[in-house]
Amino acid sequence: MSGKSTVACALSRELHCRGHLTYVLDGDNLRHGLNRDLSFKAEDRAENIRRVGEVAKLFADAGIICITSLISPYRKDRDACRALLPDSRFIEVCLSYDSLMFFCVNNLTAHTSFTGVYGFAPGNLREARDPKGLYKLARSGKIKGFTGIDDPYEPPLNGEIVIKMKDGACPSPKAMAKQVLWYLEENGYLQP
C-alpha cells in the first residue's frame, strides 16, 4: 500500500549483496498464516506486532537480519519490539515524502539484527496504491479498525534517518535501501 514490502525487499537484496543473511517477514503473508486468527482491532494489532517481534527475535538469535514489513500504527507496540533485544541498538528511519507519509525501518543490531519496516501514506496515495482493495472494504464498513480510515497512525517521534522526496519525486526503493545501508555502515551497525 505504501511500498513497505518493496522497500523491505530492496533492503534485503542490498544486504544480501554485501554478504549478510536476511529474511523478510511480510505482514500480508503473516496474516494468511501465523496471524490468520487476528482481526484489525487494536488488541489484535498489538498481538500481531508482538508475534512478529518474537519471530524476528528468533531470526536475530540465529544471526539473520530479519526485515519485517507491516503496519504498526501504535508507538507502544513498536517500543515493545524495541525492548525484545535489550542489548541491541534500535534505529528508526522515516522516509517522509510529505508531512503525512512515513516509513520506519527499525534495526536492532549487535551480533544479531532485527529490522522492521513500517509505513504510512496520505489517504489518496494509500488508496491509489491498494491492489488488494482493502481501503475500499474498510470504507464500506467490511473491515473495522483499519489504519487511516477509522483507526489512527502514531508516527515516529525520533527517527534517526529521514528520507524525503527530491524535486517532487519519490526516491526509488533501491535508492532508499542504499541510503539506509549507508547510515548503517557509517555507524558501525553492519560489522561482522
Side-chain angles (χ1 to χ4, degrees):
M1 287 185 277
S2 52
K4 299 175 301 299
S5 297
T6 304
V7 174
C9 288
L11 181 58
S12 178
R13 279 190 299 277
E14 292 296 325
L15 286 164
H16 178 76
C17 287
R18 287 167 172 74
H20 298 280
L21 292 175
T22 64
Y23 193 84
V24 175
L25 292 174
D26 182 75
D28 290 337
N29 294 337
L30 292 165
R31 285 264 184 194
H32 294 293
L34 178 67
N35 296 330
R36 71 177 169 260
D37 60 323
L38 301 175
S39 72
F40 290 100
K41 294 177 186 173
E43 59 273 10
D44 283 352
R45 285 176 176 259
E47 178 61 13
N48 179 50
I49 300 306
R50 187 197 69 76
R51 288 180 190 179
V52 172
E54 293 289 347
V55 171
K57 183 180 184 297
L58 294 173
F59 277 102
D61 289 345
I64 299 168
I65 296 172
C66 185
I67 302 167
T68 66
S69 173
L70 45 97
I71 296 172
S72 179
Y74 310 120
R75 283 185 201 106
K76 65 181 168 85
D77 298 335
R78 296 191 300 266
D79 289 344
C81 284
R82 181 188 301 255
L84 285 174
L85 296 173
D87 295 333
S88 301
R89 292 172 283 176
F90 186 89
I91 296 178
E92 201 160 34
V93 182
C94 303
L95 290 77
S96 177
Y97 306 117
D98 60 35
S99 61
L100 297 173
M101 186 169 188
F102 301 92
F103 285 93
C104 304
V105 180
N106 302 310
N107 193 20
L108 293 162
T109 60
H111 295 291
T112 60
S113 300
F114 167 77
T115 305
V117 179
Y118 304 97
F120 192 71
N124 60 342
L125 186 55
R126 288 192 312 267
E127 292 184 43
R129 292 180 169 181
D130 183 14
K132 298 176 200 102
L134 296 176
Y135 282 92
K136 186 176 181 179
L137 292 172
R139 286 207 180 277
S140 70
K142 293 179 181 172
I143 298 176
K144 298 287 184 196
F146 202 75
T147 303
I149 302 296
D150 60 353
D151 202 48
Y153 178 80
E154 299 171 352
L157 297 175
N158 299 307
E160 283 84 358
I161 305 169
V162 177
I163 300 174
K164 297 182 179 182
M165 289 179 76
K166 294 180 183 175
D167 300 322
C170 177
S172 71
K174 186 173 184 173
M176 289 186 270
K178 285 192 174 192
Q179 190 166 347
V180 172
L181 284 171
W182 177 86
Y183 179 88
L184 297 175
E185 289 171 343
E186 286 296 307
N187 289 282
Y189 286 92
L190 298 178
Q191 300 299 319

